[in-house]
Amino acid sequence: MQKLLVFQSLWGMQRLRGQANEPSLAEKIARIAAAGFDGVTDHFYDRDQVAPLAALLRQHGLAIEGQAFPRDVAGLEPALAMAAEFGCHHITVQPLVCPMTVAECLPILEGWQRLAEKAGVAVYIETHRGRMTNDLPFTLHLLDAFPHLLLTADLSHYVTAREMELPLPDETEAQISRILTHAWAFHGRVAGSHQVQLPLGFPAHQPWVATFARWWQQGFANWRQRAAPDATLSFTCELGPAPYAMTGPDGQDLTDRWDEALLLKDKARALWAGLCP
């Protein structure tokens, strides 16, 4: 039976509102587990960091999405080695290489695909500003040339990078839909035309909240049509600290990102449940 797994970003646990001191890793993992998350998302390139994290996750029965930031084909190998040693749901790659042409990207993507297949680890490329997938049209051209590209869809980056405005034209909706047909994992936050991470509860932001919820449910439904009957889909609540979070003149977050992560968790599960017979 297909299942949705909702993860919490460890990056999103940094500098939470009202914390005088940063909690320990063990305290953060315990809080995530107690809140009912299924796992965490964190960097997956430093063994000294991954090993204690993996041990804590085993204690709490949590899964992990590993994040890797390779600059070339070989740069993915350490993350794959740790996936073999510690296990992970999948690895999300933010390519720290931005060729000017699709043709220059293809040998890199093909190399990562070969390494992933050899290691037996699911590897997805994230849609992210400042990366190979920085631009929505460029990513669509990548899909033309490399139709088997598997994505982690973080749609917030494209909304902000392209300064999308509501109501969205049909052409933009079609472009986002095409990204969703290649999405095998999701990173969740709500963006607007000029801010990559909007507070979720503000009345002015509700049209964007509704738009992202519609996109996520569309992506979930599409995934369910092409994934194996027993596959699991991950959705990461990724509400990061400033400068992603909006802050006031005191430098503090305008809203409580932990409370918002809980709301986002429940929203994702409700969207998934809405697809179930």
Side-chain angles (χ1 to χ4, degrees):
M1 182 177 181
Q2 293 175 337
K3 184 178 180 181
L4 177 71
L5 302 179
V6 183
F7 293 178
Q8 166 65 359
S9 166
L10 277 183
W11 172 60
M13 299 296 288
Q14 295 178 15
R15 306 197 306 276
L16 289 175
R17 187 175 182 178
Q19 289 185 166
N21 299 299
E22 193 73 14
S24 68
L25 178 62
E27 290 170 330
K28 291 178 180 179
I29 297 302
R31 188 178 189 184
I32 290 168
F37 286 95
D38 299 299
V40 304
T41 296
D42 198 28
H43 295 174
F44 220 65
Y45 51 78
D46 183 347
R47 192 183 185 283
D48 290 340
Q49 175 182 331
V50 173
L53 173 60
L56 287 168
L57 296 177
R58 284 195 298 271
Q59 292 176 21
H60 291 280
L62 297 177
I64 185 169
E65 171 195 29
Q67 293 176 299
F69 305 83
R71 297 181 181 275
D72 52 28
V73 173
L76 183 58
E77 291 176 344
L80 293 173
M82 282 183 285
E85 182 177 359
F86 299 110
C88 70
H89 185 268
H90 66 275
I91 292 173
T92 285
V93 169
Q94 291 188 22
L96 292 184
V97 54
C98 299
M100 295 293 290
T101 68
V102 169
E104 293 173 281
C105 295
L106 294 183
I108 301 169
L109 294 174
E110 290 166 353
W112 286 336
Q113 184 180 62
R114 286 194 302 270
L115 290 176
E117 291 173 351
K118 182 179 180 180
V121 176
V123 173
Y124 310 142
I125 309 301
E126 184 173 358
T127 59
H128 199 294
R129 292 172 299 161
R131 308 293 187 258
M132 182 186 290
T133 52
N134 174 76
D135 188 71
L136 175 56
F138 188 83
T139 303
L140 296 175
H141 291 315
L142 283 177
L143 293 175
D144 289 336
F146 198 76
H148 300 299
L149 186 62
L150 310 179
L151 298 175
T152 291
D154 185 338
L155 303 175
S156 65
H157 292 286
Y158 290 156
V159 168
T160 301
R162 300 194 65 76
E163 296 192 9
M164 295 181 185
E165 296 182 354
L166 296 175
L168 296 170
D170 291 343
E171 179 184 14
T172 300
E173 289 282 6
Q175 291 172 339
I176 293 294
S177 293
R178 189 162 175 221
I179 295 295
L180 294 173
T181 64
H182 289 262
W184 290 86
F186 289 84
H187 282 186
R189 75 172 65 84
V190 172
S193 304
H194 308 287
Q195 171 62 40
V196 74
Q197 185 172 295
L198 296 175
L200 298 178
F202 291 7
H205 300 159
Q206 295 318 297
W208 278 115
V209 171
T211 298
F212 273 79
R214 174 173 56 81
W215 282 341
W216 291 331
Q217 190 169 53
Q218 178 185 342
F220 293 174
N222 188 284
W223 177 89
R224 293 191 66 176
Q225 293 176 357
R226 51 189 157 81
D230 60 348
T232 55
L233 174 68
S234 72
F235 178 97
T236 295
C237 302
E238 196 181 33
L239 304 178
Y244 271 61
M246 297 174 67
T247 60
D250 59 356
Q252 295 296 309
D253 293 356
L254 293 179
T255 55
D256 189 317
R257 285 183 288 112
W258 173 253
D259 286 346
E260 289 186 314
L262 299 180
L263 290 173
L264 201 53
K265 168 176 64 70
D266 293 343
K267 169 66 76 174
R269 287 178 175 161
L271 293 172
W272 178 268
L275 299 173
C276 297

